């Protein structure tokens, strides 16, 4: 069943002008990166998510929040990109234009070689100064409360927390790429939070061909909408090989 859909979608991919790809937690699952909620095991299971990932939680206990993100950053650094990440980096070299938008904060797309990744939810690998908003890619990882190297104010993880707006430029770029693309792929995201919920629909409304790839049982779709129920690490390499050769 998936093979026929892969063949048909690959044919469309071959003639694509601009491919826009949206990824979520599912693409990193095969790298062993737990989702936010799945990561809340052991000690962390006792905490309300809002305590660990909200401005109010950070104001109450910044050391606790930093400990949570430090642990997640270490796990992301120890993980490796999987064949799905590599297939998207390869695809970017095969089509005239590819815009990669991710809801993930793990940095695995970049490590697989994808250029210009649009991070809608920020990154575990950046910190931001609470005083002047400056962004830092290294800081004192051993500090319980890391401080801005420029002004000495408290740093916070440069991620989007509950109740916060998505970064404006990233969001605008994501919308523009969705409006412009002729092929849109949604990979490993349940599409329940915005804008992941709307982007595939908007692309369809602009006559783009759309692929939804995740582990959910999906109802049968027909072109221009394609759905595949499968593992990204298996399906994406097959798709790129079917479209452009191994
Ligand atoms: N291959 C493809 N899809 C997969 C795989 C896999 N190996 N494993 C899981 N999935 C799919 C699931 O079927 C599901 O549709 O990935 C999706 C994961 O959904 P979520 O956990 O809701 O992740 P995501 O869509 O990224 O969540 C969006 O919501 O919880 C917040 O901030 C969090 O960034 C997250 C956002």
């Amino acid at each position: 069943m998936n093979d026929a859909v892969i063949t048909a979608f690959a044919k469309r991919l071959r003639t694509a002008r601009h491919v826009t790809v949206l990824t979520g937690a599912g693409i990193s699952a095969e790298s062993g990166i737990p989702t936010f909620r799945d990561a809340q095991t052991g000690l962390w299971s006792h905490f309300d998510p809002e305590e660990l990932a909200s401005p109010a939680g950070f104001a109450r206990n910044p050391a606790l929040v930093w400990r949570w993100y430090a642990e997640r950053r270490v796990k992301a650094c120890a993980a490796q990109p999987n064949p799905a990440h590599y297939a998207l980096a390869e695809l970017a070299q095969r089509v005239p234009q590819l815009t990669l938008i991710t809801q993930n904060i793990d940095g695995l797309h970049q490590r697989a070689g994808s250029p210009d990744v649009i991070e809608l939810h920020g990154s575990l690998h950046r910190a931001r100064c609470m005083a002047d908003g400056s962004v830092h890619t290294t800081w004192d990882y051993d500090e319980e409360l890391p401080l801005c190297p420029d002004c000495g104010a408290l740093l916070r993880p440069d991620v989007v927390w509950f109740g916060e707006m998505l970064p404006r430029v990233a969001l605008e770029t994501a919308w523009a790429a969705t409006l412009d693309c002729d092929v849109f792929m949604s990979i490993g995201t349940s599409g329940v939070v915005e804008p992941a919920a709307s982007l595939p629909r908007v692309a369809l409304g602009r006559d783009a061909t759309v692929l939804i790839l995740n582990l959910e049982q999906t109802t049968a779709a027909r072109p221009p909408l394609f759905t595949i129920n499968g593992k990204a690490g298996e399906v994406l390499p097959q798709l790129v090989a079917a479209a452009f050769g191994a």
Side-chain angles (χ1 to χ4, degrees), residues 23-30 35-38 72 82 84 103-105 121 160 162 187-193 196 213-217 228-234:
T23 67
I27 198 165
S28 292
E30 290 160 80
T35 61
F36 183 90
R37 269 159 226 284
D38 288 344
R72 296 180 74 203
N82 68 57
Q103 300 172 95
N104 298 343
I105 59 176
H121 292 174
V160 177
F162 293 110
I187 301 164
T189 173
S190 53
V192 289
V193 302
L213 165 58
N214 59 30
L215 297 184
E216 263 85 70
Q217 286 300 333
I228 298 179
N229 171 226
K231 288 187 170 181
E234 292 167 10

Side-chain angles (χ1 to χ4, degrees), residues 9-244:
F9 187 76
K11 191 168 170 217
R12 179 66 190 86
L13 210 44
R14 253 195 308 273
T15 59
R17 171 183 57 81
H18 181 182
V19 180
T20 293
V21 184
L22 171 70
T23 67
I27 198 165
S28 292
E30 290 160 80
S31 293
I33 303 273
T35 61
F36 183 90
R37 269 159 226 284
D38 288 344
Q40 267 195 281
T41 54
L43 162 74
W44 300 111
S45 63
H46 304 297
F47 294 98
D48 184 335
E50 305 239 345
E51 284 305 308
L52 302 173
S54 73
F58 188 67
R60 272 192 292 274
N61 194 343
L64 174 80
V65 173
W66 263 117
R67 240 185 349 268
W68 161 247
Y69 280 95
E71 197 174 287
R72 296 180 74 203
R73 187 182 59 78
V74 166
K75 283 188 176 151
C77 288
Q80 296 301 324
N82 68 57
H85 297 106
Y86 287 114
L88 289 180
E90 163 87 21
L91 184 59
Q93 305 207 336
R94 303 293 194 128
V95 296
Q97 188 180 359
L98 186 141
T99 304
L100 179 53
I101 308 159
T102 189
Q103 300 172 95
N104 298 343
I105 59 176
D106 54 37
L108 289 180
H109 283 304
Q110 290 90 335
R111 282 173 55 201
S114 282
D116 308 323
V117 182
I118 297 164
E119 295 178 313
L120 287 177
H121 292 174
S123 173
L124 285 170
H125 308 287
R126 290 192 308 264
R128 195 164 80 225
C129 176
M130 294 289 286
D132 62 19
S134 60
V135 172
H136 302 268
T137 52
T138 56
W139 59 94
D140 188 344
Y141 302 122
D142 296 327
E143 273 301 327
E144 195 176 43
L145 289 175
L147 302 178
C148 176
D150 299 334
C151 72
L154 184 62
L155 290 174
R156 59 161 278 180
D158 191 22
V159 298
V160 177
W161 282 332
F162 293 110
E164 291 188 313
M165 310 270 280
L166 300 190
R168 191 176 55 83
V169 173
L171 192 56
E172 283 173 5
T173 311
W175 276 106
T178 302
L179 292 171
D180 181 64
C181 70
D182 55 343
V183 173
F184 185 96
M185 299 162 69
S186 167
I187 301 164
T189 173
S190 53
V192 289
V193 302
E194 289 295 342
S198 302
L199 293 178
R201 195 166 32 79
V202 167
L204 271 178
R206 302 281 288 198
D207 293 330
T209 299
V210 172
L211 171 69
I212 311 280
L213 165 58
N214 59 30
L215 297 184
E216 263 85 70
Q217 286 300 333
T218 43
T219 48
R222 66 168 77 143
L225 176 62
F226 293 78
T227 55
I228 298 179
N229 171 226
K231 288 187 170 181
E234 292 167 10
V235 173
L236 285 181
Q238 278 180 46
L239 199 53
V240 173
F244 302 103

